[in-house]
Amino acid sequence: MSAQRLLRLLIDGRSAGARLDLYLTRHFLAEPHPSSMLSRSGIQRLIAEGQVTLNGGRAKASTRLKLNDRIDIRPLPPRESTLESEALPLDIIYEDPDCIVINKAPGMVVHPAAGQRRGTLVNALLHHCPDLEAIGGERRPGIVHRLDKDTSGVMIVAKTVSAFHTLVAQFKRRTVKKEYVALVWGKTQADKGIIDRPIGRHRSDRKRMSSVHFLNKSRDAVTEWSVEERFALDSTSNSRIWLTVLRLYPRTGRTHQIRVHLADLGYPLVGDRVYGGRRNKSVVATSSNSIVDTFPRQALHAERLAIDHVRTGRRVEFCAPLADDLRDLLRHLQVANSPSQISLSNYSLAGVDKKTALK
């Protein structure tokens, strides 16, 4: 919907009785339109500012709809963006007129926020795709999902308004399939499993999430996992330090979900300074595990992402090779454990042929 175009909706029998704001939220999720009014808060803002009328008059967000009611929606005038474009390097896996798929580097923040206005993925994308500015949220143009600053791997970004809403709807419906590789402390007893534990804001630390000590409000969170490899590192205290490489399949997309689920289960990510806890100081570090102890970020990589393409509807999968630091750490552990039998075929270590990344 352009700035000049009015959108009109008529209420049928299936929608009669619904709240105005909930009806509009569901409508834009199910039938993507070229507008940025996808969230319920965005809808409520439009209603509060008189941009949504019911049968020609102003209405409240809580108004119950009746059969044949007429809703007219006029978008708010666009705000002048304060985002800057920057010529930062991008590792592009795939790109077409609808979307761009990036292998996000570790250490790169996804979008500007308080305290960091430059150097983010959004700044780099605006330089590469100048038209991205008008798509989606004002501070997060084109962004339909996120990775933590220190998590590397595959991200998809919308390049058109239609693609933005279609992709957001797929994430909402949980039809997007995500696959991660992680290195964790400890030795899992089973070879695979499912973590089904709600996640909420930590009750004593508002900057953290928890599946154990959360406030009253929580949201369902499910993570499937399987073991790829286990490493046993010897220390000078005659005890063994175990590490496990996991492949993870999050079925939901909660904040810090993988990091929280694994830490609360007793297998924190290597390098996670927030959820990793303190290492046992009684264990004297060897040359092998000191490299692990000093790994500078959480050892988490988003390796694969599968979606229904926004234009063709065909199922497509994108794969991002491991970042250099995590690849080198895994190679080091494999050499330390089995110098004569090094197998790296389970991970995307060799890179991805950009011509064949779309399968």
Side-chain angles (χ1 to χ4, degrees):
M1 183 170 54
S2 67
Q4 295 78 29
R5 184 179 173 188
L6 187 73
L7 177 65
R8 174 164 292 178
L9 303 172
L10 294 176
I11 301 304
D12 58 20
R14 293 174 300 176
S15 302
R19 282 176 54 118
L20 174 61
D21 57 347
L22 293 179
Y23 164 76
L24 290 175
T25 302
R26 287 195 298 265
H27 175 81
F28 286 111
L29 279 174
E31 301 290 341
H33 290 273
S35 106
S36 59
M37 310 175 305
L38 187 62
S39 69
R40 185 177 179 184
S41 60
I43 292 292
Q44 290 175 329
R45 177 176 170 230
L46 286 176
I47 295 172
E49 299 193 21
Q51 300 299 107
V52 177
T53 60
L54 182 62
N55 300 321
R58 295 190 64 157
K60 296 180 179 180
S62 59
T63 300
R64 296 288 175 177
L65 299 172
K66 300 176 183 177
L67 182 64
N68 296 325
D69 273 351
R70 186 188 77 244
I71 302 173
D72 291 324
I73 308 169
R74 191 182 303 278
L76 291 168
R79 298 178 178 179
E80 184 177 350
S81 174
T82 59
L83 298 178
E84 300 180 38
S85 65
E86 294 182 77
L88 303 173
L90 286 174
D91 184 359
I92 299 174
I93 297 173
Y94 173 81
E95 184 175 10
D96 65 21
D98 299 292
C99 62
I100 180 170
V101 182
I102 304 294
N103 184 8
K104 189 188 84 66
M108 176 175 266
V109 175
V110 170
H111 58 77
Q116 180 152 2
R117 303 289 302 172
R118 299 172 60 85
T120 73
L121 178 63
V122 162
N123 296 117
L125 287 168
L126 287 173
H127 182 270
H128 182 77
C129 310
D131 294 338
L132 201 68
E133 189 173 317
I135 300 166
E138 180 184 1
R139 295 184 182 277
R140 306 174 186 181
I143 302 299
V144 295
H145 70 123
R146 290 179 289 171
L147 294 177
D148 293 339
K149 173 185 175 181
D150 289 329
T151 299
S152 57
V154 63
M155 278 189 62
I156 187 167
V157 178
K159 292 176 63 178
T160 68
V161 176
S162 177
F164 177 84
H165 289 291
T166 301
L167 289 171
V168 168
Q170 289 187 50
F171 277 95
K172 291 277 188 180
R173 293 194 297 263
R174 301 179 184 175
T175 59
V176 177
K177 301 301 179 185
K178 297 167 285 185
E179 190 173 322
Y180 289 72
V181 173
L183 179 66
V184 303
W185 292 106
K187 178 184 180 182
T188 61
Q189 297 304 307
D191 290 332
K192 60 183 178 179
I194 296 176
I195 309 171
D196 187 351
R197 301 169 72 162
I199 289 176
R201 191 68 60 181
H202 195 286
R203 64 190 179 201
S204 62
D205 186 348
R206 296 288 294 166
K207 294 183 179 181
R208 298 175 61 193
M209 309 298 288
S210 177
S211 66
V212 178
H213 306 295
F214 53 79
L215 295 171
N216 293 332
K217 187 178 180 180
S218 63
R219 304 178 72 183
D220 65 302
V222 181
T223 306
E224 184 179 353
W225 60 270
S226 62
V227 172
E228 286 285 331
E229 243 178 318
R230 294 186 179 94
F231 302 114
L233 301 182
D234 293 326
S235 73
T236 55
S237 63
N238 297 320
S239 64
R240 298 185 112 186
I241 299 172
W242 284 93
L243 296 162
T244 304
V245 180
L246 296 177
R247 189 166 294 278
L248 301 125
Y249 312 88
R251 298 180 184 175
T252 52
R254 307 306 178 205
T255 301
H256 299 171
Q257 176 174 318
I258 290 176
R259 298 166 65 189
V260 169
H261 268 170
L262 292 174
D264 289 348
L265 206 63
Y267 305 104
L269 286 167
V270 166
D272 195 331
R273 304 295 183 258
V274 177
Y275 299 102
R278 296 179 180 177
R279 300 294 302 139
N280 188 346
K281 293 182 179 179
S282 65
V283 177
V284 181
T286 67
S287 60
S288 293
N289 64 50
S290 64
I291 295 175
V292 182
D293 266 320
T294 58
F295 193 69
R297 66 176 179 99
Q298 64 254 17
L300 182 63
H301 176 75
E303 187 180 66
R304 296 179 187 275
L305 182 74
I307 64 162
D308 297 329
H309 193 274
V310 297
R311 188 179 297 267
T312 66
R314 184 164 61 95
R315 194 68 170 175
V316 293
E317 180 181 279
F318 305 101
C319 180
L322 291 179
D324 291 346
D325 59 350
L326 185 53
R327 177 198 61 203
D328 292 345
L329 177 59
L330 293 177
R331 279 179 170 156
H332 172 84
L333 291 172
Q334 289 180 329
V335 169
N337 272 250
S338 303
S340 61
Q341 295 181 352
I342 304 174
S343 174
L344 303 176
S345 60
N346 288 337
Y347 316 117
S348 300
L349 296 169
V352 175
D353 183 346
K354 292 179 174 58
K355 293 180 181 179
T356 60
L358 180 62
K359 300 178 180 178

